[in-house]
Amino acid sequence: MANTPAPLRVGLLGYGLAGQVFHAPLIAATPGLRLDAVVTGNPQRQEQARKDHPDARVLDDADRLWESADSLDLVVVATPNRTHVPMARAAVTAGLAVVVDKPLAATAAEGRGLIDEADRRGVPLTVFQNRRWDGDFLTARRLIAEGELGRVLRFESRFERWRPAIKEGWRESAAPGEAGGALYDLGAHLVDQAVQLFGPVRSVYAEVDRRRPDAQVDDDAFVALTHAGGVHSHLWMSAVTAQLGPRMRVLGDRAGWTSYGLDVQEEALRAGGRPDAPGWGEVPAERYGRLGVDGDLRPVPTDPGRYQDFYAQVAAALRDGTPMPVDPRDAVATVELIELAHRSAERGEVLPVPAR
């Protein structure tokens, strides 16, 4: 009988929301991966990491991780946005494959430089665009591919919240390089999903505002993307939405599909759930989206969300040389569109996407 290969050893940088709620549980639940080390300088988070993952080393500084780089196979960067590129570059320099949380970088130029360095050293690099494995996104993609909507005319997508009080933290900081605000935080998901569904973008129009008193960064934004194929994507991201709109609406020349409510996986992860649990990612029937035309609508079961597929594909890529789950060039293209959206809002103009 063939020997089972030893698990790939993972070092996780950061144990805030991204590290604790998303990355650590998904890594721990993925066959073939082992969470070997967690790096955080916060004493409370150190204690939580030891409680959550007693078999992992807990380190207080990234330098200690690089000192033991030979004992690792993969590094996950789940630190504040301003540190994504320097931390990922350190992993690449150490010869370690790396997963970077979204957004890959604060600027497209920084992201391209990181990719060039990884390519030069032959180090695998990918980006955690986990919303590609949301159940509603998977359902929309399936319905489009099956022709249920006919020719798609418009795509509407929203990440809206009601958070009128400002919470302290780097996401609310306007300091250069932080990449704070709704457009970078939520838009990195919405833009990526739209491009995955409908392809390259020809032009961008955006409205980007600070609505809450004393807000330093945008908390309310609208972005309109005109895709080369003719589809218009209308994207909303906001912290000041008192009444939430549909999470997704896809309108075609034959039918439409509308879905409400966020994917269930984040809530389950926050509650301590694991993707290897029965029924993971499944949406109750009362939350199914509706397909058809007004007067003739029917519920369509939502495909189960599958965040676990991201790290399963990472493990396969490192074992077998298959492609990483997300091409980092896609993440750079997303940052380019976010940068263009900010310029569009400043000028009040529709701006063309420069030819590559």
Side-chain angles (χ1 to χ4, degrees), residues 22-23 26 77 84 99-105 125-134 137-138 141 159 183-196 265 306-311 313-314 324-336 338:
F22 286 97
H23 293 281
L26 295 176
V77 179
H84 283 185
V99 171
V100 186
D101 204 88
K102 63 81 198 169
L104 173 62
L125 168 67
T126 191
V127 183
F128 189 62
Q129 296 285 174
N130 62 300
R131 296 293 178 173
R132 294 187 185 186
W133 289 270
D134 276 1
F137 175 80
L138 296 174
R141 187 173 65 182
F159 272 179
L183 192 48
Y184 269 101
D185 184 26
L186 304 176
H189 289 307
L190 297 182
V191 170
D192 179 74
Q193 286 184 331
V195 173
Q196 286 300 301
Q265 294 175 95
R306 298 191 56 83
Y307 288 169
Q308 64 270 29
D309 284 4
F310 176 88
Y311 274 108
Q313 290 181 40
V314 169
M324 280 289 204
V326 175
D327 187 332
R329 290 164 183 81
D330 290 351
V332 168
T334 293
V335 175
E336 288 175 337
I338 290 172

Short mmCIF file of all heavy atoms in Angstrom, two decimals, residues 22-23 26 77 84 99-105 125-134 137-138 141 159 183-196 265 306-311 313-314 324-336 338:
data_model
loop_
_atom_site.label_atom_id
_atom_site.label_comp_id
_atom_site.label_asym_id
_atom_site.label_seq_id
_atom_site.Cartn_x
_atom_site.Cartn_y
_atom_site.Cartn_z
N PHE A 22 -11.47 32.90 9.03
CA PHE A 22 -11.45 32.30 7.70
C PHE A 22 -10.30 31.31 7.52
O PHE A 22 -10.52 30.11 7.34
CB PHE A 22 -11.38 33.39 6.63
CG PHE A 22 -12.66 34.14 6.45
CD1 PHE A 22 -12.86 35.35 7.09
CD2 PHE A 22 -13.68 33.65 5.65
CE1 PHE A 22 -14.04 36.05 6.94
CE2 PHE A 22 -14.87 34.34 5.49
CZ PHE A 22 -15.05 35.54 6.14
N HIS A 23 -9.07 31.80 7.55
CA HIS A 23 -7.96 30.96 7.11
C HIS A 23 -7.68 29.78 8.03
O HIS A 23 -7.55 28.64 7.56
CB HIS A 23 -6.70 31.82 6.95
CG HIS A 23 -6.81 32.80 5.83
ND1 HIS A 23 -6.63 32.46 4.51
CD2 HIS A 23 -7.11 34.13 5.84
CE1 HIS A 23 -6.81 33.53 3.75
NE2 HIS A 23 -7.09 34.55 4.54
N LEU A 26 -10.21 26.86 7.81
CA LEU A 26 -10.19 26.21 6.50
C LEU A 26 -8.92 25.38 6.32
O LEU A 26 -8.96 24.27 5.78
CB LEU A 26 -10.31 27.25 5.39
CG LEU A 26 -11.64 28.02 5.34
CD1 LEU A 26 -11.60 29.09 4.27
CD2 LEU A 26 -12.81 27.07 5.09
N VAL A 77 -0.75 35.01 4.29
CA VAL A 77 -0.66 36.39 4.75
C VAL A 77 -2.07 36.91 5.02
O VAL A 77 -2.83 37.18 4.08
CB VAL A 77 0.07 37.28 3.73
CG1 VAL A 77 0.13 38.73 4.23
CG2 VAL A 77 1.47 36.75 3.48
N HIS A 84 0.51 43.39 3.22
CA HIS A 84 0.37 42.24 2.34
C HIS A 84 1.59 42.04 1.45
O HIS A 84 2.15 40.93 1.38
CB HIS A 84 -0.88 42.39 1.46
CG HIS A 84 -2.15 42.11 2.17
ND1 HIS A 84 -3.38 42.09 1.54
CD2 HIS A 84 -2.40 41.82 3.48
CE1 HIS A 84 -4.32 41.80 2.43
NE2 HIS A 84 -3.75 41.64 3.61
N VAL A 99 -0.13 32.34 0.08
CA VAL A 99 -1.51 32.79 -0.11
C VAL A 99 -1.62 34.16 0.52
O VAL A 99 -1.23 34.36 1.68
CB VAL A 99 -2.51 31.83 0.58
CG1 VAL A 99 -3.92 32.43 0.56
CG2 VAL A 99 -2.50 30.46 -0.08
N VAL A 100 -2.14 35.13 -0.23
CA VAL A 100 -2.32 36.48 0.28
C VAL A 100 -3.81 36.78 0.36
O VAL A 100 -4.54 36.54 -0.61
CB VAL A 100 -1.63 37.54 -0.61
CG1 VAL A 100 -1.71 38.93 0.02
CG2 VAL A 100 -0.18 37.16 -0.86
N ASP A 101 -4.27 37.28 1.48
CA ASP A 101 -5.66 37.68 1.58
C ASP A 101 -5.92 38.85 0.62
O ASP A 101 -5.00 39.60 0.26
CB ASP A 101 -6.00 38.10 3.01
CG ASP A 101 -7.48 37.96 3.30
OD1 ASP A 101 -7.90 36.87 3.72
OD2 ASP A 101 -8.24 38.93 3.08
N LYS A 102 -7.19 39.01 0.22
CA LYS A 102 -7.51 40.12 -0.67
C LYS A 102 -7.56 41.42 0.16
O LYS A 102 -7.81 41.37 1.37
CB LYS A 102 -8.83 39.87 -1.39
CG LYS A 102 -10.06 39.77 -0.45
CD LYS A 102 -10.59 41.13 -0.05
CE LYS A 102 -11.47 41.10 1.16
NZ LYS A 102 -11.77 42.43 1.71
N PRO A 103 -7.32 42.59 -0.46
CA PRO A 103 -6.76 42.77 -1.79
C PRO A 103 -5.28 42.41 -1.78
O PRO A 103 -4.60 42.56 -0.76
CB PRO A 103 -6.98 44.26 -2.06
CG PRO A 103 -6.94 44.89 -0.70
CD PRO A 103 -7.57 43.89 0.22
N LEU A 104 -4.79 41.95 -2.92
CA LEU A 104 -3.39 41.55 -3.00
C LEU A 104 -2.46 42.68 -2.58
O LEU A 104 -1.46 42.45 -1.88
CB LEU A 104 -3.07 41.12 -4.44
CG LEU A 104 -1.60 40.83 -4.76
CD1 LEU A 104 -1.08 39.67 -3.94
CD2 LEU A 104 -1.44 40.54 -6.25
N ALA A 105 -2.78 43.90 -2.98
CA ALA A 105 -1.91 45.04 -2.73
C ALA A 105 -2.75 46.32 -2.70
O ALA A 105 -3.89 46.34 -3.17
CB ALA A 105 -0.85 45.14 -3.83
N LEU A 125 2.14 31.59 -6.03
CA LEU A 125 1.48 32.71 -5.37
C LEU A 125 0.02 32.70 -5.76
O LEU A 125 -0.32 32.55 -6.95
CB LEU A 125 2.14 34.02 -5.79
CG LEU A 125 1.44 35.34 -5.46
CD1 LEU A 125 1.42 35.57 -3.95
CD2 LEU A 125 2.13 36.51 -6.16
N THR A 126 -0.86 32.88 -4.78
CA THR A 126 -2.28 32.98 -5.07
C THR A 126 -2.93 33.94 -4.09
O THR A 126 -2.29 34.38 -3.12
CB THR A 126 -2.97 31.60 -5.04
OG1 THR A 126 -4.30 31.72 -5.58
CG2 THR A 126 -3.05 31.05 -3.63
N VAL A 127 -4.20 34.28 -4.34
CA VAL A 127 -4.91 35.30 -3.57
C VAL A 127 -6.24 34.72 -3.08
O VAL A 127 -6.95 34.05 -3.84
CB VAL A 127 -5.15 36.57 -4.41
CG1 VAL A 127 -5.83 37.66 -3.57
CG2 VAL A 127 -3.83 37.10 -4.97
N PHE A 128 -6.58 35.02 -1.84
CA PHE A 128 -7.78 34.45 -1.21
C PHE A 128 -9.03 35.25 -1.63
O PHE A 128 -9.55 36.06 -0.88
CB PHE A 128 -7.62 34.46 0.30
CG PHE A 128 -8.70 33.71 1.05
CD1 PHE A 128 -8.88 32.36 0.88
CD2 PHE A 128 -9.52 34.37 1.96
CE1 PHE A 128 -9.86 31.66 1.57
CE2 PHE A 128 -10.50 33.69 2.67
CZ PHE A 128 -10.68 32.33 2.47
N GLN A 129 -9.49 35.00 -2.84
CA GLN A 129 -10.75 35.56 -3.32
C GLN A 129 -11.86 34.55 -3.02
O GLN A 129 -12.45 33.95 -3.91
CB GLN A 129 -10.68 35.87 -4.82
CG GLN A 129 -9.67 36.93 -5.20
CD GLN A 129 -10.10 38.35 -4.89
OE1 GLN A 129 -9.33 39.29 -5.04
NE2 GLN A 129 -11.33 38.53 -4.42
N ASN A 130 -12.15 34.38 -1.73
CA ASN A 130 -13.03 33.29 -1.31
C ASN A 130 -14.44 33.42 -1.81
O ASN A 130 -15.18 32.43 -1.88
CB ASN A 130 -13.03 33.18 0.21
CG ASN A 130 -13.57 34.43 0.89
OD1 ASN A 130 -13.01 35.52 0.71
ND2 ASN A 130 -14.63 34.30 1.67
N ARG A 131 -14.86 34.64 -2.18
CA ARG A 131 -16.25 34.81 -2.60
C ARG A 131 -16.55 34.17 -3.95
O ARG A 131 -17.71 34.12 -4.36
CB ARG A 131 -16.60 36.30 -2.62
CG ARG A 131 -16.54 36.98 -1.25
CD ARG A 131 -17.62 36.46 -0.32
NE ARG A 131 -17.55 37.08 1.01
CZ ARG A 131 -18.47 36.89 1.96
NH1 ARG A 131 -19.51 36.12 1.72
NH2 ARG A 131 -18.33 37.47 3.14
N ARG A 132 -15.53 33.65 -4.62
CA ARG A 132 -15.78 32.85 -5.81
C ARG A 132 -16.44 31.52 -5.45
O ARG A 132 -16.94 30.81 -6.33
CB ARG A 132 -14.47 32.56 -6.56
CG ARG A 132 -13.80 33.79 -7.15
CD ARG A 132 -12.61 33.39 -8.01
NE ARG A 132 -11.88 34.55 -8.49
CZ ARG A 132 -10.87 34.49 -9.34
NH1 ARG A 132 -10.46 33.31 -9.80
NH2 ARG A 132 -10.24 35.60 -9.72
N TRP A 133 -16.41 31.19 -4.16
CA TRP A 133 -17.02 29.94 -3.70
C TRP A 133 -18.23 30.20 -2.81
O TRP A 133 -18.67 29.34 -2.08
CB TRP A 133 -15.97 29.10 -2.97
CG TRP A 133 -14.94 28.54 -3.92
CD1 TRP A 133 -15.00 27.35 -4.58
CD2 TRP A 133 -13.72 29.16 -4.32
NE1 TRP A 133 -13.88 27.19 -5.36
CE2 TRP A 133 -13.08 28.29 -5.23
CE3 TRP A 133 -13.09 30.38 -4.01
CZ2 TRP A 133 -11.85 28.59 -5.82
CZ3 TRP A 133 -11.87 30.68 -4.61
CH2 TRP A 133 -11.26 29.80 -5.49
N ASP A 134 -18.81 31.41 -2.91
CA ASP A 134 -20.11 31.68 -2.29
C ASP A 134 -21.19 30.87 -3.02
O ASP A 134 -21.13 30.73 -4.26
CB ASP A 134 -20.47 33.16 -2.38
CG ASP A 134 -19.86 33.99 -1.27
OD1 ASP A 134 -19.14 33.44 -0.43
OD2 ASP A 134 -20.13 35.22 -1.26
N PHE A 137 -22.97 32.98 -5.79
CA PHE A 137 -22.14 33.16 -6.97
C PHE A 137 -22.10 31.88 -7.80
O PHE A 137 -22.22 31.93 -9.04
CB PHE A 137 -20.72 33.56 -6.55
CG PHE A 137 -19.75 33.64 -7.70
CD1 PHE A 137 -19.72 34.75 -8.51
CD2 PHE A 137 -18.87 32.59 -7.96
CE1 PHE A 137 -18.83 34.83 -9.58
CE2 PHE A 137 -17.99 32.66 -9.02
CZ PHE A 137 -17.96 33.78 -9.83
N LEU A 138 -21.93 30.74 -7.14
CA LEU A 138 -21.91 29.47 -7.86
C LEU A 138 -23.24 29.23 -8.57
O LEU A 138 -23.27 28.71 -9.70
CB LEU A 138 -21.61 28.32 -6.89
CG LEU A 138 -20.24 28.34 -6.21
CD1 LEU A 138 -20.15 27.23 -5.17
CD2 LEU A 138 -19.12 28.23 -7.23
N ARG A 141 -23.54 31.59 -11.62
CA ARG A 141 -22.69 31.10 -12.72
C ARG A 141 -23.32 29.90 -13.41
O ARG A 141 -23.30 29.79 -14.65
CB ARG A 141 -21.31 30.73 -12.17
CG ARG A 141 -20.31 30.37 -13.25
CD ARG A 141 -18.92 30.17 -12.67
NE ARG A 141 -18.87 29.02 -11.77
CZ ARG A 141 -17.79 28.65 -11.10
NH1 ARG A 141 -16.67 29.37 -11.20
NH2 ARG A 141 -17.81 27.59 -10.30
N PHE A 159 -22.94 44.31 -1.35
CA PHE A 159 -22.49 44.01 0.00
C PHE A 159 -22.86 45.23 0.84
O PHE A 159 -22.09 46.19 0.92
CB PHE A 159 -20.99 43.76 0.06
CG PHE A 159 -20.58 42.34 -0.20
CD1 PHE A 159 -19.24 41.99 -0.19
CD2 PHE A 159 -21.51 41.35 -0.44
CE1 PHE A 159 -18.84 40.68 -0.43
CE2 PHE A 159 -21.14 40.05 -0.68
CZ PHE A 159 -19.79 39.71 -0.67
N LEU A 183 -14.59 50.41 -0.70
CA LEU A 183 -14.28 50.02 -2.07
C LEU A 183 -13.16 48.97 -2.12
O LEU A 183 -13.23 47.99 -2.86
CB LEU A 183 -13.91 51.25 -2.90
CG LEU A 183 -13.81 51.08 -4.42
CD1 LEU A 183 -15.02 50.35 -4.98
CD2 LEU A 183 -13.66 52.45 -5.08
N TYR A 184 -12.14 49.15 -1.30
CA TYR A 184 -11.08 48.14 -1.24
C TYR A 184 -11.54 46.90 -0.49
O TYR A 184 -11.22 45.76 -0.87
CB TYR A 184 -9.83 48.70 -0.56
CG TYR A 184 -8.84 49.32 -1.52
CD1 TYR A 184 -8.77 50.71 -1.66
CD2 TYR A 184 -7.99 48.54 -2.28
CE1 TYR A 184 -7.86 51.28 -2.55
CE2 TYR A 184 -7.08 49.09 -3.16
CZ TYR A 184 -7.02 50.48 -3.29
OH TYR A 184 -6.12 51.03 -4.17
N ASP A 185 -12.29 47.08 0.60
CA ASP A 185 -12.67 45.95 1.44
C ASP A 185 -13.72 45.07 0.77
O ASP A 185 -13.50 43.88 0.55
CB ASP A 185 -13.19 46.48 2.78
CG ASP A 185 -13.52 45.37 3.76
OD1 ASP A 185 -12.93 44.27 3.66
OD2 ASP A 185 -14.37 45.59 4.64
N LEU A 186 -14.85 45.66 0.44
CA LEU A 186 -15.94 44.91 -0.16
C LEU A 186 -15.87 44.88 -1.67
O LEU A 186 -16.22 43.88 -2.31
CB LEU A 186 -17.27 45.50 0.30
CG LEU A 186 -17.47 45.59 1.82
CD1 LEU A 186 -18.80 46.28 2.13
CD2 LEU A 186 -17.42 44.21 2.46
N GLY A 187 -15.41 45.98 -2.26
CA GLY A 187 -15.32 46.04 -3.71
C GLY A 187 -14.37 45.01 -4.28
O GLY A 187 -14.55 44.54 -5.41
N ALA A 188 -13.33 44.62 -3.51
CA ALA A 188 -12.41 43.60 -4.01
C ALA A 188 -13.12 42.28 -4.29
O ALA A 188 -12.72 41.52 -5.18
CB ALA A 188 -11.28 43.38 -2.99
N HIS A 189 -14.19 42.01 -3.54
CA HIS A 189 -15.00 40.83 -3.81
C HIS A 189 -15.96 41.06 -4.98
O HIS A 189 -16.05 40.25 -5.90
CB HIS A 189 -15.83 40.46 -2.58
CG HIS A 189 -15.04 39.91 -1.45
ND1 HIS A 189 -14.17 38.85 -1.57
CD2 HIS A 189 -15.00 40.26 -0.13
CE1 HIS A 189 -13.64 38.56 -0.40
NE2 HIS A 189 -14.12 39.41 0.49
N LEU A 190 -16.69 42.16 -4.94
CA LEU A 190 -17.73 42.39 -5.93
C LEU A 190 -17.16 42.55 -7.33
O LEU A 190 -17.71 42.01 -8.30
CB LEU A 190 -18.53 43.64 -5.55
CG LEU A 190 -19.30 43.58 -4.22
CD1 LEU A 190 -20.08 44.87 -4.00
CD2 LEU A 190 -20.24 42.38 -4.19
N VAL A 191 -16.07 43.30 -7.45
CA VAL A 191 -15.45 43.48 -8.76
C VAL A 191 -14.93 42.15 -9.29
O VAL A 191 -15.13 41.81 -10.47
CB VAL A 191 -14.33 44.53 -8.68
CG1 VAL A 191 -13.52 44.56 -9.98
CG2 VAL A 191 -14.91 45.92 -8.39
N ASP A 192 -14.27 41.38 -8.44
CA ASP A 192 -13.74 40.09 -8.87
C ASP A 192 -14.86 39.17 -9.34
O ASP A 192 -14.74 38.53 -10.39
CB ASP A 192 -12.98 39.43 -7.71
CG ASP A 192 -12.43 38.06 -8.08
OD1 ASP A 192 -11.44 38.02 -8.83
OD2 ASP A 192 -12.99 37.04 -7.64
N GLN A 193 -15.95 39.13 -8.61
CA GLN A 193 -17.07 38.26 -9.01
C GLN A 193 -17.63 38.69 -10.37
O GLN A 193 -17.90 37.85 -11.23
CB GLN A 193 -18.17 38.30 -7.96
CG GLN A 193 -17.85 37.53 -6.69
CD GLN A 193 -19.03 37.52 -5.72
OE1 GLN A 193 -19.84 38.44 -5.71
NE2 GLN A 193 -19.11 36.48 -4.91
N ALA A 194 -17.81 39.99 -10.57
CA ALA A 194 -18.36 40.48 -11.82
C ALA A 194 -17.48 40.11 -13.00
O ALA A 194 -17.95 39.67 -14.07
CB ALA A 194 -18.57 41.99 -11.76
N VAL A 195 -16.18 40.29 -12.84
CA VAL A 195 -15.25 39.97 -13.93
C VAL A 195 -15.21 38.47 -14.18
O VAL A 195 -15.12 38.02 -15.33
CB VAL A 195 -13.84 40.54 -13.62
CG1 VAL A 195 -12.83 40.07 -14.67
CG2 VAL A 195 -13.88 42.07 -13.58
N GLN A 196 -15.29 37.68 -13.13
CA GLN A 196 -15.32 36.22 -13.31
C GLN A 196 -16.55 35.79 -14.10
O GLN A 196 -16.49 34.87 -14.91
CB GLN A 196 -15.29 35.52 -11.95
CG GLN A 196 -13.94 35.57 -11.27
CD GLN A 196 -12.84 34.90 -12.08
OE1 GLN A 196 -12.93 33.72 -12.40
NE2 GLN A 196 -11.83 35.66 -12.45
N GLN A 265 -21.68 30.81 4.88
CA GLN A 265 -20.43 30.23 5.39
C GLN A 265 -19.71 31.13 6.39
O GLN A 265 -19.15 30.65 7.37
CB GLN A 265 -19.49 29.90 4.22
CG GLN A 265 -20.02 28.80 3.32
CD GLN A 265 -19.12 28.60 2.12
OE1 GLN A 265 -18.24 27.74 2.10
NE2 GLN A 265 -19.35 29.40 1.09
N ARG A 306 -18.66 26.64 -0.98
CA ARG A 306 -17.56 25.68 -0.87
C ARG A 306 -16.23 26.39 -0.65
O ARG A 306 -15.30 26.26 -1.44
CB ARG A 306 -17.49 24.81 -2.13
CG ARG A 306 -18.75 23.97 -2.38
CD ARG A 306 -18.52 22.95 -3.48
NE ARG A 306 -17.38 22.10 -3.19
CZ ARG A 306 -17.43 21.02 -2.41
NH1 ARG A 306 -18.57 20.66 -1.83
NH2 ARG A 306 -16.34 20.31 -2.20
N TYR A 307 -16.12 27.15 0.43
CA TYR A 307 -14.83 27.80 0.72
C TYR A 307 -13.70 26.79 0.83
O TYR A 307 -12.53 27.10 0.56
CB TYR A 307 -14.91 28.60 2.02
CG TYR A 307 -15.72 29.86 1.97
CD1 TYR A 307 -16.05 30.54 3.13
CD2 TYR A 307 -16.18 30.39 0.76
CE1 TYR A 307 -16.78 31.71 3.11
CE2 TYR A 307 -16.92 31.56 0.72
CZ TYR A 307 -17.23 32.21 1.90
OH TYR A 307 -17.96 33.37 1.88
N GLN A 308 -14.03 25.58 1.25
CA GLN A 308 -13.01 24.56 1.44
C GLN A 308 -12.29 24.21 0.14
O GLN A 308 -11.15 23.71 0.15
CB GLN A 308 -13.60 23.29 2.07
CG GLN A 308 -14.63 22.58 1.21
CD GLN A 308 -16.05 23.05 1.45
OE1 GLN A 308 -16.27 24.20 1.80
NE2 GLN A 308 -17.01 22.16 1.27
N ASP A 309 -12.93 24.48 -1.00
CA ASP A 309 -12.31 24.16 -2.28
C ASP A 309 -11.06 25.00 -2.53
O ASP A 309 -10.15 24.56 -3.24
CB ASP A 309 -13.30 24.35 -3.42
CG ASP A 309 -14.31 23.24 -3.51
OD1 ASP A 309 -14.30 22.34 -2.64
OD2 ASP A 309 -15.14 23.26 -4.44
N PHE A 310 -11.00 26.21 -1.95
CA PHE A 310 -9.83 27.05 -2.17
C PHE A 310 -8.58 26.35 -1.67
O PHE A 310 -7.61 26.16 -2.42
CB PHE A 310 -10.00 28.41 -1.49
CG PHE A 310 -8.78 29.29 -1.61
CD1 PHE A 310 -8.63 30.12 -2.71
CD2 PHE A 310 -7.78 29.28 -0.64
CE1 PHE A 310 -7.49 30.91 -2.85
CE2 PHE A 310 -6.65 30.07 -0.76
CZ PHE A 310 -6.50 30.89 -1.87
N TYR A 311 -8.57 25.96 -0.40
CA TYR A 311 -7.36 25.35 0.14
C TYR A 311 -7.14 23.93 -0.38
O TYR A 311 -6.00 23.46 -0.45
CB TYR A 311 -7.37 25.41 1.67
CG TYR A 311 -6.82 26.71 2.18
CD1 TYR A 311 -7.64 27.68 2.74
CD2 TYR A 311 -5.46 27.01 2.05
CE1 TYR A 311 -7.14 28.89 3.19
CE2 TYR A 311 -4.95 28.21 2.49
CZ TYR A 311 -5.78 29.14 3.05
OH TYR A 311 -5.26 30.35 3.47
N GLN A 313 -7.56 23.17 -3.46
CA GLN A 313 -6.85 23.43 -4.72
C GLN A 313 -5.42 23.89 -4.46
O GLN A 313 -4.51 23.59 -5.24
CB GLN A 313 -7.62 24.44 -5.55
CG GLN A 313 -8.92 23.89 -6.11
CD GLN A 313 -9.66 24.91 -6.97
OE1 GLN A 313 -9.06 25.65 -7.73
NE2 GLN A 313 -10.99 24.95 -6.83
N VAL A 314 -5.21 24.65 -3.37
CA VAL A 314 -3.85 25.03 -3.01
C VAL A 314 -3.01 23.78 -2.72
O VAL A 314 -1.88 23.63 -3.21
CB VAL A 314 -3.84 25.98 -1.80
CG1 VAL A 314 -2.42 26.16 -1.27
CG2 VAL A 314 -4.44 27.33 -2.17
N MET A 324 -2.91 27.05 -9.21
CA MET A 324 -3.43 27.61 -7.97
C MET A 324 -4.89 28.07 -8.21
O MET A 324 -5.28 28.34 -9.34
CB MET A 324 -2.58 28.79 -7.52
CG MET A 324 -1.30 28.40 -6.82
SD MET A 324 -1.61 27.71 -5.18
CE MET A 324 -0.05 28.02 -4.34
N PRO A 325 -5.70 28.15 -7.15
CA PRO A 325 -7.13 28.45 -7.33
C PRO A 325 -7.41 29.82 -7.91
O PRO A 325 -8.43 30.01 -8.58
CB PRO A 325 -7.70 28.30 -5.92
CG PRO A 325 -6.54 28.40 -5.00
CD PRO A 325 -5.37 27.85 -5.74
N VAL A 326 -6.57 30.81 -7.63
CA VAL A 326 -6.78 32.17 -8.13
C VAL A 326 -5.47 32.67 -8.74
O VAL A 326 -4.44 32.67 -8.07
CB VAL A 326 -7.23 33.12 -7.00
CG1 VAL A 326 -7.33 34.56 -7.50
CG2 VAL A 326 -8.57 32.67 -6.42
N ASP A 327 -5.54 33.08 -10.00
CA ASP A 327 -4.37 33.68 -10.65
C ASP A 327 -4.15 35.06 -10.03
O ASP A 327 -5.06 35.90 -10.05
CB ASP A 327 -4.64 33.81 -12.15
CG ASP A 327 -3.42 34.26 -12.94
OD1 ASP A 327 -2.56 34.97 -12.37
OD2 ASP A 327 -3.35 33.95 -14.14
N PRO A 328 -2.97 35.33 -9.48
CA PRO A 328 -2.75 36.64 -8.87
C PRO A 328 -2.91 37.80 -9.84
O PRO A 328 -3.18 38.93 -9.42
CB PRO A 328 -1.33 36.54 -8.31
CG PRO A 328 -0.68 35.45 -9.08
CD PRO A 328 -1.76 34.48 -9.40
N ARG A 329 -2.78 37.52 -11.13
CA ARG A 329 -2.99 38.59 -12.12
C ARG A 329 -4.44 39.04 -12.14
O ARG A 329 -4.73 40.20 -12.44
CB ARG A 329 -2.52 38.12 -13.50
CG ARG A 329 -1.01 37.98 -13.59
CD ARG A 329 -0.55 37.17 -14.80
NE ARG A 329 0.90 37.02 -14.79
CZ ARG A 329 1.55 36.11 -14.06
NH1 ARG A 329 0.87 35.28 -13.28
NH2 ARG A 329 2.86 36.03 -14.09
N ASP A 330 -5.35 38.13 -11.81
CA ASP A 330 -6.77 38.53 -11.67
C ASP A 330 -6.91 39.54 -10.54
O ASP A 330 -7.68 40.50 -10.64
CB ASP A 330 -7.64 37.31 -11.36
CG ASP A 330 -7.78 36.35 -12.52
OD1 ASP A 330 -7.35 36.69 -13.64
OD2 ASP A 330 -8.31 35.24 -12.30
N ALA A 331 -6.18 39.31 -9.44
CA ALA A 331 -6.26 40.21 -8.29
C ALA A 331 -5.67 41.57 -8.62
O ALA A 331 -6.17 42.61 -8.15
CB ALA A 331 -5.54 39.60 -7.09
N VAL A 332 -4.62 41.60 -9.42
CA VAL A 332 -4.06 42.89 -9.87
C VAL A 332 -5.08 43.62 -10.74
O VAL A 332 -5.27 44.84 -10.61
CB VAL A 332 -2.74 42.67 -10.63
CG1 VAL A 332 -2.31 43.95 -11.35
CG2 VAL A 332 -1.64 42.24 -9.67
N ALA A 333 -5.75 42.90 -11.63
CA ALA A 333 -6.77 43.53 -12.47
C ALA A 333 -7.89 44.12 -11.63
O ALA A 333 -8.41 45.20 -11.94
CB ALA A 333 -7.32 42.50 -13.46
N THR A 334 -8.24 43.44 -10.53
CA THR A 334 -9.26 43.98 -9.63
C THR A 334 -8.80 45.27 -8.98
O THR A 334 -9.56 46.26 -8.91
CB THR A 334 -9.60 42.93 -8.55
OG1 THR A 334 -10.25 41.82 -9.16
CG2 THR A 334 -10.52 43.52 -7.49
N VAL A 335 -7.55 45.31 -8.51
CA VAL A 335 -7.02 46.53 -7.91
C VAL A 335 -6.97 47.66 -8.94
O VAL A 335 -7.27 48.82 -8.63
CB VAL A 335 -5.63 46.28 -7.30
CG1 VAL A 335 -5.02 47.59 -6.79
CG2 VAL A 335 -5.73 45.27 -6.16
N GLU A 336 -6.62 47.34 -10.18
CA GLU A 336 -6.62 48.35 -11.25
C GLU A 336 -8.01 48.96 -11.41
O GLU A 336 -8.14 50.19 -11.57
CB GLU A 336 -6.17 47.73 -12.56
CG GLU A 336 -4.69 47.39 -12.61
CD GLU A 336 -4.30 46.66 -13.88
OE1 GLU A 336 -5.19 46.03 -14.51
OE2 GLU A 336 -3.11 46.69 -14.24
N ILE A 338 -10.39 49.08 -9.10
CA ILE A 338 -10.67 49.87 -7.90
C ILE A 338 -9.98 51.23 -7.99
O ILE A 338 -10.58 52.27 -7.67
CB ILE A 338 -10.24 49.09 -6.65
CG1 ILE A 338 -11.17 47.90 -6.42
CG2 ILE A 338 -10.24 50.00 -5.41
CD1 ILE A 338 -10.73 46.96 -5.31
#
